[in-house]
Each structure stands twice: as C-alpha cells, then as structure tokens.
Amino acid sequence: MSSKHGDWVVEQQRVEKVMEEIYKKEEKLLSKTSELKDSVIDLRKTFWDDVTVNLDEPDDVIETEASIKQQAELLAQKEKIHGSMAKELQTLKQLKNSPYFGRIDFKEDDEKTAEQLYIGISSLMDREEKDFLIYDWRAPISSLYYDYTLGKAAYQTLDGMVMGNISLKRQFIIRNGEIKGMFDTGLTIGDQLLQEALGNNASSTMKSIVATIQKEQNKIIRNEKSKLLLVQGVAGSGKTSAALQRIAYLMYRYRSELTPENVVLFSPNPLFTSYINNVLPELGETNVKQLTFFDYLQDKVGEAMSIESPFAQMEYLLTYQEDANRHFRLNNIKYKSTIAYKHLLDAYIADLHAEGVQFKNISFRKRILIPKEKVKEYFYTMDPNISLPNRIELTVKWLLKELYQFQKEELNKDWVEEKIGLLDKAAYVKAYYEAQEQDGDSAVDEELILRKVVVAKMFDSLKRQIKQLAFVNVLATYKRFYTCWESDELPEDWTSFSSQTASNLSKNFLTWEDAAPYAYFKSQLLGDETDRAVRHLFVDEAQDLSEFQFAYIKHMFPYTRMTLLGDINQAINVHTSRDNPLQAMGEDNTERITLTKSYRSTKQIVEFTTCFAPGKEVIEPFERQGNKPKLLYLNKTEKEVLLTSVNELLKIGYETIAFICKTKNECVAIYNLLSPSISVTRVDEETYSFKKGILIIPVYLAKGIEFDAVIIPDASTNHYTESDRTVFYTACTRAMHELVMVTAAEPCLFIHEAKTDTYVVANG
C-alpha cells in the first residue's frame, strides 16, 4: 500500500469526480433513451399513417414502395441508436462499481510534462468530450500499462511508434467508488493486486482479468499478425482468460469490420461454455459463437449418422482397462488420429475419380424413374480431370433436366385427377382466372392448369432432394473404402480396423475417431462448405485434438486466423501423447507463446503437482501461500471420511468443493454414497450450467474449471496407473486453495514421485 497518505486523498477525490461524471452522463443518457423509446413506440403505432399507399398505376406502386422503405429505414435507425445507448448505459453501470484499476504517468520524448493516464474496462471522456478521464484497456496507449516497468517505454499507433518514459505506475482496488487498495509498483502488475484477485473463493463463472493481465498474456491478447497462434500454458496460467480478452480486443480494434458472427470459439464441453459465457458481456462485447467440436462435427456429418461423443470414448478407455478389445481400440484410435490415415483416405478419394462413387435411385411414387446405374454411368462419362464436387453439380443439372421430361409425362396419369380433388379453394380460383386469360376451351385449360399444379408440387420435393445431393450415397461410398478398396499403403491391422468400422457404418454409427474422417470425406466428395465468414477461430483445450482433427479444421477454415490454447500436461486423450497441434511449428506465419506461471493454485499445490507433471515444461508457482495437499488414509468408512473432509472445508468458508473422479461410474458411486447425507450435484456431459456447491464431476469435464477445494476420493495405485498420469495431474490442478486425496490402499505412483515435504499424510 502506498505510504503517501496525501496521494490517497488526491486519488480518492479524483475517483469521486469521475463518479460524478458517470452519474451525470447516465442521467443524461437515461433522459435521451426515454425520449427515443417513446419516439420509436409512436413511430411503430403511426407507421402506416405516414406512408402513401397507392397501387393504381405502376408509378404509384414504385412511389408506395419507396415510402414504405423510407419509413422502415427511419424506424431501424432509431432502434439502432436506442440499442447503442442501452449498451453505453450498461458500460456506465459497470464503471460505477470500479471506474478504473491502473494509472501510468507517461511523458512523450518531445513533450515537457507527463500525462496521467487512467486505465479501465472502457473509455470515458469529460463533459466537453475533449479529454479522456479513463482509457479503455484495449486502446494502443494502454499497452504501456501491461508491457513496461518504470523507465523507457513505447506504444504503437497508426502513425508509428510513440517513444517516452514512464515515471509512475499505480494500481487500484476500487469498490463502489471507494479506493480499497492503492499500490505503486515497478512491475507490470503488483503481487498485492493479484493476491486480492486470486485469494477469493472460486466463482461459478470465469472472471475477467483486465486488471491483472501479465506481459505474456498481453502478447496473446494484442497479437494481430500471426495466422496461427499457439499458446502452451500450464494449468492455471490464464490462457483461456487471455483468449477471451483477445476476442474483446479484436472486436474493439476492428470494430468497423469484425462482427460476432466472424468469430468462433470451440470449447471443450457445454459446461465450460456456460462457465465462460459472462466474460465478453462484462467487457461490453456481444458473445461470439461458442460450440464444441463435437457439435460442429455432428452438424457436418448430418442427422442420419450418430456419433460417439469424445467423453464416451474416454469413458470406455478409462473404465474398461481390462477389456479384451481395449488394445485393438487403442491402436484403432491412434492410427485414425494420424496424418498418415488422412493420406490413405486422400488416396481413396483420388481413385474415386475413376470409379467407386455410389448413387441412389431417383424414385417417384414408388417407381424408379432414373436407376442409380444410369446416374453412375452419366457421372463417369465426364472428364476425370473434373473435380468430384463439380461433376456432382453437373449431374444435378442433368437430373433436373431428365425430371422435367418425366414431369410432363405424369400430367395425364389417373393419380393426378385424384390429387386435384384434394386442392384448396384458392388453387381452383387461381386456375379459373388463368384459364380466362387464355384462348380456347377454358374448362380444359383450367383442368390442365390444376394438373400442372399437382404434378409440380409432387416433383418439387424430389427436385429439392436432388439439389441437396441426396442422390449421392455418401455412406455407401465411404463404406467401400473399408470393404472393397485395395492399396499398397494399408497398415498391418487394416483387416481388423476395416471390418469393425464397416460394421459400425452398417448401423449408421461413427466412433469418435471416425467422425472427423467421415466429415472430411463427405466434404471432399460433395464439395467443401468451408466457413469463409469466420475470420478468427479459437480452440480451447487444443491438446486434445488429434493430428487428423486439426488437419480437418484447417481444411474447413482455410482463410481463418486461429488461436490454439492448451496444455500438453493435460493431454488426457490417448492420441495426444505422440502428436499434438500445440507442437505444430514450422508453418508459415506461426507464433508460439508459452505461459509458465500458474496463478490458480497455491504455491504448495503447484509444487506438489509439478513433481509428477507429464511434460517437461517449466512450471512456476505464484507466491500465494496455503496448506499443503493432504493424503488421507482411510481408517473409518469411506463415507465418514469423505463427509468429514467436506464439512471441514465448508467450515473454512469454501463455497465450491469438487469430488473429481476418474470415470462416470465412480461419480455415480460417490453420489449414491453421499447424496442421502448432504446436498451434492452430479455433473455429466448433459450439464449445461455451472453452480456453486458440492459437485461430483469426472475429470474430463472439469478441464478449464477451477474449484475452491478438490477431493480425489480414490487416489490408490489400483485406480490410477501410469497411463493415467495426465488424468491425475489434471484433477489435482483444478484446486485453488485445498487439495485432499483419499486412499484405502497404497497411494498411486504419482504421489510417491512427489517430494515428501510437498504434502502431508493423515488418517481419516
């Protein structure tokens, strides 16, 4: 805390002055908003009163359309202004609690005096709109606060680099307009501010980190040049928070050209999506599109196929470790996760130019109009140099032309007359007037018109299916890859791989390792529906992507800048131990940023978990003290020990306590054990919101989330083996303040690897 009491008084006076400005601006905006709202309501009520409607002559129709358009544009403009004001009011509401969190005194080299710059979540100008009372943390000049200590400093503007000197850096903790803490520091962010931010209980939503952004995090946030940005961050290093601040920064930096529709975030599960959903709105930005990679693949594969979720795959591998088929499944997953498998699939796709694409019959009223053999014959009479998607488009045009002839032939069929009787009155009236406009027998003409209406309706559905490429049998063509195709490049286990895959395909089922290959194959056969509108793609927990999945993402987003975030230490999927997108260096315009400091957990928890961390990455603990992790040996019943542990943690004041289990089955068992005695919530892949309380959650759903305290109910050597290293590490690193491990037998080998002075042993 600053020792200069006079500075504190001066700074508090400034806070009060800024608060006064905020209240005045809010009052003025509320008045304007109210007036505008009334204006919009009146305009909606009187919309047609001010529109000249005349449809007698063509010129009158044009004039009427112009009048309606003018009124609509006026209404839309007023509604847009009202929306902008509402957004500004929301920002002022946030500023009222904590108007700013930092100050720097910066003197440009060609200036005589230093300027005092106050940094907050949003800009605020004085009453005359001349000077900034607060600078938005995303403004170019605000980078000085995050990137420099006292002394020489510089920031980039559109006109070039501005050089100067920082003579003071001050940080504030302001709550409801009152300074609670004030620190002068030479560091980017003083430990006091971080201690205050990190020492609290876990929240049910992710916190914004704008007040505590570190220099390395700021490099992630403000990176504008890299097409591929790889962020390897240890557990609790703030990589996800930095990514969300990055989205907010990009939306601010390119606000005239970047919309929420241009940004997509792949999150690991629906629970995590809920957990981070408040960050962007808190920063005054609209949430971007957030979905899981599973949801994305399901959309691309289509409803006709069901897909095993990545969690179901994980459950099988963690639960059935003694299953006779597990070894085969592991090899299948590992091979289908590789680029080598993609090359094999590409070779098959190349051969389809000569033969192999399967089609469906074009049928109408249970009668085959165009047999699939004829479709195939037409398809393969085209030049083999024409791409498969282009040939399919040409086939669509040919089919529609053929259907036109069949449609004419159906006009005089008996079934048409039956259908005419089912038409509504409007169709008859329309046919009558059309017939009156024609010469000849109007009765005959009227019947012909009605027949055309009936036949056209029946054929419209068929034409629509053809335009949607439903005549291409994607599944049968893909299945042929496993049943008929031969190549010198097939792996040794191909026979067993292919027979199992073909069996699954016969049931319209895709395992998780088959989902991306099938989606890729479908896009190559029918045409790439690449997401060209997406300009920035963020992938969290990217270490869980396989080589093939990452290649598919790059294929579907060819013009998109990507930010991949993850931690190799938390790569719990079996394929990621060997190949990982976070290690994919060597590509053009790629930058890698490594975050080594862990802020989530206490120093004691980090020092313990570092002992058995799977990777070789440096892990630095933040100097926040706490209790050492506790290893509890059962000398009572499991229920008694777990309940006692929970109650002790609740007495300390912790609000979010998680039992982190290895599998879903273990979660169910712990829930059944404890739920009669205490209020607990079991989290599964169908859980879409994160709430405080006592939770029971499998480790693969806990990724990215933090808890006040974590209890691992079975930390025995029988439960966690060497293959579970990343799983156990991930579970332990979810804890912010307390970590408790319980065992009834020999502790797992990871605990033995930890130094004995990094944890305490007790009897439960």
Side-chain angles (χ1 to χ4, degrees), residues 21 43 183 208 260 267-268 386 421 492-493 520 525 527 539 667 670 698:
E21 287 294 320
L43 186 56
F183 318 102
S208 166
S267 58
I386 300 175
E492 290 182 9
D493 296 333
Y520 171 72
L525 179 60
V539 182
C667 286
I670 296 297

Side-chain angles (χ1 to χ4, degrees), residues 218-315:
N218 199 42
K219 285 175 64 179
I220 297 167
I221 293 166
R222 295 176 187 261
N223 183 294
E224 297 179 34
K225 298 177 181 178
S226 304
K227 185 162 192 257
L228 178 60
L229 179 62
L230 307 174
V231 180
Q232 159 58 38
V234 300
S237 57
K239 51 188 176 293
T240 302
S241 297
L244 292 166
Q245 315 300 121
R246 172 166 167 73
I247 293 173
Y249 171 77
L250 292 170
M251 299 294 287
Y252 172 88
R253 174 72 174 80
Y254 299 101
R255 53 191 175 276
S256 62
E257 52 193 274
L258 197 65
T259 68
E261 289 72 34
N262 301 138
V263 183
V264 170
L265 169 63
F266 283 158
S267 58
N269 55 64
L271 179 65
F272 187 76
T273 301
S274 166
Y275 181 61
I276 65 174
N277 218 29
N278 69 303
V279 176
L280 288 174
E282 277 187 4
L283 297 171
E285 299 294 347
T286 305
N287 263 327
V288 298
K289 185 176 182 181
Q290 299 178 41
L291 71 165
T292 65
F293 186 49
F294 172 79
D295 291 333
Y296 181 80
L297 280 180
Q298 185 72 73
D299 179 64
K300 295 301 179 184
V301 165
E303 295 179 357
M305 303 291 290
S306 62
I307 303 177
E308 175 192 44
S309 75
F311 313 119
Q313 184 198 72
M314 181 65 60
E315 271 296 326

Side-chain angles (χ1 to χ4, degrees), residues 36 40 44 72 74-84:
L36 190 59
V40 169
R44 284 174 177 167
L74 178 61
L75 179 60
Q77 184 181 17
K78 286 179 178 288
E79 288 176 336
K80 185 177 180 180
I81 294 171
H82 186 269
S84 177

Side-chain angles (χ1 to χ4, degrees), residues 269 271-272 311 683-686 697-703 705:
N269 55 64
L271 179 65
F272 187 76
F311 313 119
V683 176
D684 59 27
E685 61 180 291
E686 299 299 320
I697 184 171
V699 62
Y700 50 78
L701 292 181
K703 298 182 75 170
I705 302 174

